[in-house]
Amino acid sequence: MIDATDDEDIEELYGAWEPTLYAAAMADDRYFALLVGGPRWDDPYTIILTRDAEAQTFSRLDVQRELRDIRVVPRADDVEPSYVTLSLNGDIYVISPKGAEHSVIPGTQAESDDAPEILFTSILPVGDQWLVAGGEGFLKLGKDKSWQDVSPSLPTEYPYKVPDWTILGTNQNGDIFIVGTQAANARHFNLYPGHPLYREDMSEEEEFELQKKLYAEMDSYPRLKTLFTGRPGAWKQQALPDRIARSLSAYSYVADVESDGPEADYVIGSDGLVMKGSPQAGFTDISSIADRDGRI
């Protein structure tokens, strides 16, 4: 039996921890926060760092969770900021000058290991509540024990899954930008007893070849991405270029929204995507041909 009593012993056995910068949030020129983490010897681990650039200080909180998003909580101008962060499994931490508060989203694996697996991606303060997005169609607004579904209507046609939601952010007018991503549902392409193409008398070679064809068929379906803007209960769908909206590549995505004043927003993403416009007037793809032809 090997007895590893401290980090140095564990690192000698399993190798040094190699953390990743997961997310960052900047309150202003003085304050910002970082999420630095990754699996640490097979356990989830994240360090929350908050920085005061004027005082030249860092504050640190270590949690045994995989945190995925961090946002600034709205505040008065002269108050040190607070931040809200979300774990992969549904934990919410509010980091303030007074300390940290932890809560969980009901019905998630943060509350119970028996709950369905939903992988969460993003969180956004909306009034005195949280808007939380994740997989399996999860887009809810709430706090503590009270949550309601606020996802826009987005049809799920064969052979697709319900959308995975991501919150991009807001513009200067407070309009929220969200993206729904739909991939082909692997359940329709797994060969199992009860599948229309499955036969009990199939040889292993026949089963292998048929399963390979089914996976190839699954890969032929594009990943669907849909952009919405607005507020919970009042979403408006925005058009995306086909190279983003219906891409075969798993690496095609909408990344962020940036505002250039109250009347001009920019939606940016992979494949050189730059769209300019507003939620009210719509968006125009202004990506240059060089951007698209020069992609790798």
Side-chain angles (χ1 to χ4, degrees), residues 213-264:
K213 289 180 181 179
L214 286 171
Y215 283 152
E217 181 185 355
M218 182 176 70
D219 291 341
S220 71
Y221 285 92
R223 296 171 69 89
L224 308 181
K225 297 165 201 71
T226 310
L227 173 66
F228 290 89
T229 59
R231 291 171 173 80
W235 299 112
K236 179 182 179 182
Q237 184 173 337
Q238 305 288 347
L240 287 170
D242 275 353
R243 72 181 191 279
I244 301 295
R246 301 181 59 85
S247 170
L248 287 173
S249 169
Y251 302 103
S252 171
Y253 55 87
V254 184
D256 199 5
V257 57
E258 297 291 340
S259 290
D260 183 20
E263 298 181 359

Side-chain angles (χ1 to χ4, degrees), residues 46-124:
T46 308
I47 298 171
I48 307 168
L49 293 173
T50 55
R51 172 70 166 168
D52 182 340
E54 184 175 303
Q56 295 291 304
T57 58
F58 270 108
S59 297
R60 170 173 170 169
L61 174 66
D62 294 34
V63 296
Q64 289 189 315
R65 298 287 189 275
E66 289 189 61
L67 304 182
R68 280 295 180 267
D69 193 21
I70 188 165
R71 309 272 180 162
V72 179
V73 178
R75 59 178 175 136
D77 290 340
D78 58 347
V79 176
E80 186 175 342
S82 298
Y83 306 89
V84 62
T85 182
L86 174 73
S87 83
L88 196 62
N89 298 114
D91 300 89
I92 295 175
Y93 293 88
V94 178
I95 314 300
S96 73
K98 298 179 181 179
E101 297 178 9
H102 173 243
S103 61
V104 299
I105 301 171
T108 66
Q109 290 189 342
E111 182 180 60
S112 169
D113 291 339
D114 296 328
E117 183 181 45
I118 300 172
L119 301 182
F120 292 93
T121 60
S122 37
I123 187 169
L124 183 74

